[in-house]
Amino acid sequence: MISMSGVDKHFGDLHVLRDINLEVDAGQVVVVLGPSGSGKSTLCRAINRLEPIDNGTIAIDGEELPAEGRALAALRADVGMVFQSFNLFAHKTILENVMLAPLKVRKASKADAEKKALALLERVGIANQKDKYPAQLSGGQQQRVAIARALAMDPKVMLFDEPTSALDPEMVNEVLEVMTGLAADGMTMVVVTHEMGFARRAANRVLFMADGEIVEDATPDAFFTNPTSDRAKDFLGKILTH
């Protein structure tokens, strides 16, 4: 479903992605872990070309992503993205936020878009908030709206870039529950996160990144109980002892 081959990315002199080769099968949930500055978010953002790359190719469901233009926009519509900040339209209601892309991009009818949006808000547990505006919701609720909005496009792939890191601790679980449900339903997902419990519970694979490289690619069980690299051992030692 996702194929990255020989992908390189520089920010000036900084080599943030180094020869990344990655295949993600349909229905797989891949969690990307690693220290700050290891290239996790850049990897996630490169998958739908929010971050342009210097070398290599990226394909979604067998179609190579062009660098720009209408074809890129069409392929991007198949890739849902959920960010650390919720990026909702403040002047639109929750329902309108979720309806917008299907109306504008997929050219859905208003009735169809509304029916689908209501079903998705139900799925993420906030249908009762549909007429409110983003500012009237908690951070956890806003992030669930953002997930519903991404799902409204019927994406083939969902990318999550630290979706819970801006949330108060008590709101994290409500968002992770929605994501765990998506994983159980067979959505192809790439998730950059610090939530180790989610990685253990929902991931098929854990990628560990350091210095712009994928250092380990293992099952959660193997990664958490028996990491092979010193970098991963060091990382887990710092995280799991707290």
Side-chain angles (χ1 to χ4, degrees):
M1 187 53 80
I2 302 169
S3 178
M4 303 178 79
S5 178
V7 171
D8 276 294
K9 167 75 180 174
H10 294 79
F11 289 125
D13 292 338
L14 200 61
H15 200 167
V16 283
L17 293 180
R18 298 169 182 264
D19 191 27
I20 297 288
N21 295 288
L22 175 64
E23 301 281 332
V24 179
D25 294 337
Q28 266 196 340
V29 178
V30 177
V31 167
V32 186
L33 304 175
S36 288
S38 57
K40 307 183 299 292
S41 287
T42 307
L43 175 83
C44 192
R45 293 166 68 88
I47 291 173
N48 70 349
R49 285 287 171 112
L50 273 178
E51 206 58 79
I53 57 174
D54 300 329
N55 293 308
T57 59
I58 301 171
I60 303 289
D61 200 13
E63 295 235 15
E64 196 174 312
L65 283 181
E68 55 193 22
R70 191 165 285 179
L72 175 61
L75 275 172
R76 229 184 229 161
D78 287 336
V79 182
M81 182 110 196
V82 178
F83 301 89
Q84 189 172 339
S85 52
F86 321 120
N87 297 339
L88 299 173
F89 291 108
H91 62 289
K92 292 189 179 295
T93 65
I94 298 315
L95 184 63
E96 288 168 343
N97 263 282
V98 179
M99 286 172 63
L100 189 65
L103 287 171
K104 298 278 188 210
V105 182
R106 298 276 192 227
K107 307 297 184 204
S109 71
K110 190 164 184 214
D112 285 349
E114 183 168 342
K115 183 179 171 190
K116 181 170 199 177
L118 285 169
L120 286 168
L121 288 173
E122 188 73 50
R123 182 174 177 183
V124 299
I126 42 174
N128 58 340
Q129 310 283 347
K130 66 182 174 62
D131 297 322
K132 290 188 176 174
Y133 290 87
Q136 295 173 284
L137 270 56
S138 72
Q141 289 171 324
Q142 289 189 58
Q143 193 60 295
R144 285 187 281 160
V145 175
I147 292 172
R149 181 181 59 179
L151 290 172
M153 291 290 284
D154 287 325
K156 295 176 177 177
V157 173
M158 286 280 282
L159 308 176
F160 294 86
D161 187 8
E162 302 205 14
T164 58
S165 59
L167 299 178
D168 292 335
E170 70 270 21
M171 293 173 191
V172 168
N173 278 344
E174 65 189 59
V175 174
L176 292 179
E177 267 176 31
V178 171
M179 292 168 61
T180 304
L182 281 180
D185 290 345
M187 174 61 76
T188 308
M189 294 162 61
V190 176
V191 184
V192 175
T193 186
H194 296 291
E195 298 295 334
M196 299 298 142
F198 175 80
R200 284 176 185 247
R201 190 171 65 243
N204 303 111
R205 286 162 71 189
V206 171
L207 301 184
F208 177 75
M209 290 188 71
D211 302 322
E213 296 180 309
I214 296 173
V215 180
E216 299 205 24
D217 180 349
T219 64
D221 199 36
F223 178 76
F224 285 109
T225 54
N226 192 19
T228 55
S229 67
D230 289 340
R231 289 299 303 266
K233 286 173 189 165
D234 181 50
F235 175 79
L236 287 172
K238 285 176 180 158
I239 282 191
L240 300 177
T241 48
H242 289 305

